[in-house]
Amino acid sequence: MSTDILVVDDETAIADLVEVYLKNEGYTVHKFYNGTDALDCVRRQHLDLAILDVMLPDVDGFTLCQRIREAGHLFPILMLTAKVEDMDKIMGLTLGADDYVTKPFNPLELVARVKTQLRRYTRYNTGETPPQEVTEYDFRGLQISRATHKCVLFGEELALTPLEFSILWYLCERRGNVVSSEELFEAVWGEKYMDSNNTVMSHIARLREKMHEPSRKPKFIKTVWGVGYTIE
């Protein structure tokens, strides 16, 4: 079964370069130069991952990402951005993106990030779990199962991306303890944490939104200022 990846970038040279590297890894690439055609592909084609440029001639990448998530698609989304400001990165992550790569980028790094996201997504969809480990938590109306990769809050199933599920599961595993942003990032993303990294904060905000958590007094994921996050 093929792995289908959507690539959207209005810079032909970049789109073609990404396509070549992905095809060399055996992936099936659906390449477009604008958001309108890409959305049509999302509607009719099974996809396993999307790579979206932020600056597009019609629908910008942030809007495209948001529409994909609103349609209920949970496959990983990587944003390509020429902007280095933290707020631009935070916006993409808050709208449901899983990762971002800043232009100019090394194609090999992009491929590595794609593989990381696909591994996580594959585990999410196959229900793959390590043997002899706790596979479910159930407390205070929150039910999360690693065996089925489902999360239910007060009877409502939450549409979590694989990355969001991994964050919530990691916090549940360490319930009652404070988890630093550094620990959470390195455990979930599998990369070295940088001091200026706002990725964790952005994903926590997105996760709280899906859990209908009030920003000032959340019931589940609480911020311990200057330390990290905890589920009590």
Side-chain angles (χ1 to χ4, degrees), residues 213-226:
E213 288 263 72
S215 58
R216 298 198 172 208
K217 292 185 178 181
K219 296 180 180 178
F220 288 95
I221 303 176
K222 298 185 177 182
T223 301
V224 180
W225 295 108

Side-chain angles (χ1 to χ4, degrees), residues 163-221:
L163 196 54
E164 291 164 349
F165 182 94
S166 296
I167 292 170
L168 185 56
W169 179 265
Y170 193 84
L171 290 174
C172 286
E173 277 188 316
R174 287 148 186 81
R175 182 183 172 197
N177 298 313
V178 179
V179 178
S180 68
S181 295
E182 178 179 2
E183 177 187 345
L184 189 57
F185 183 85
E186 293 184 356
V188 174
W189 277 263
E191 300 176 16
K192 186 66 178 175
Y193 180 82
M194 305 298 291
D195 289 341
S196 60
N197 198 323
N198 290 304
T199 304
V200 172
M201 180 182 67
S202 302
H203 279 85
I204 291 290
R206 177 71 174 173
L207 191 51
R208 282 172 172 162
E209 180 182 339
K210 289 189 175 184
M211 296 174 71
H212 311 295
E213 288 263 72
S215 58
R216 298 198 172 208
K217 292 185 178 181
K219 296 180 180 178
F220 288 95
I221 303 176

Side-chain angles (χ1 to χ4, degrees), residues 35-47 67 71 73:
T36 302
D37 291 341
L39 279 173
D40 182 60
C41 176
V42 171
R43 296 187 188 100
R44 59 182 169 76
Q45 174 69 46
H46 166 80
L47 295 170
R67 291 184 181 177
H73 299 290

Side-chain angles (χ1 to χ4, degrees), residues 69-133:
R69 291 302 186 222
E70 288 175 348
H73 299 290
L74 299 177
F75 53 75
I77 296 176
L78 279 72
M79 305 296 294
L80 298 181
T81 175
K83 299 180 179 181
V84 298
E85 291 86 353
D86 284 343
M87 287 308 298
D88 291 304
K89 298 172 182 176
I90 291 171
M91 179 181 293
L93 296 171
T94 302
L95 292 174
D98 296 280
D99 200 356
Y100 61 85
V101 176
T102 303
K103 298 178 180 179
F105 57 85
N106 184 329
L108 293 176
E109 178 190 353
L110 178 63
V111 170
R113 289 174 181 260
V114 165
K115 289 181 178 180
T116 297
Q117 294 295 333
L118 286 173
R119 281 196 298 269
R120 182 179 290 118
Y121 185 57
T122 300
R123 289 198 301 269
Y124 182 93
N125 283 283
T126 60
E128 178 184 327
T129 57
Q132 298 181 341
E133 288 191 10

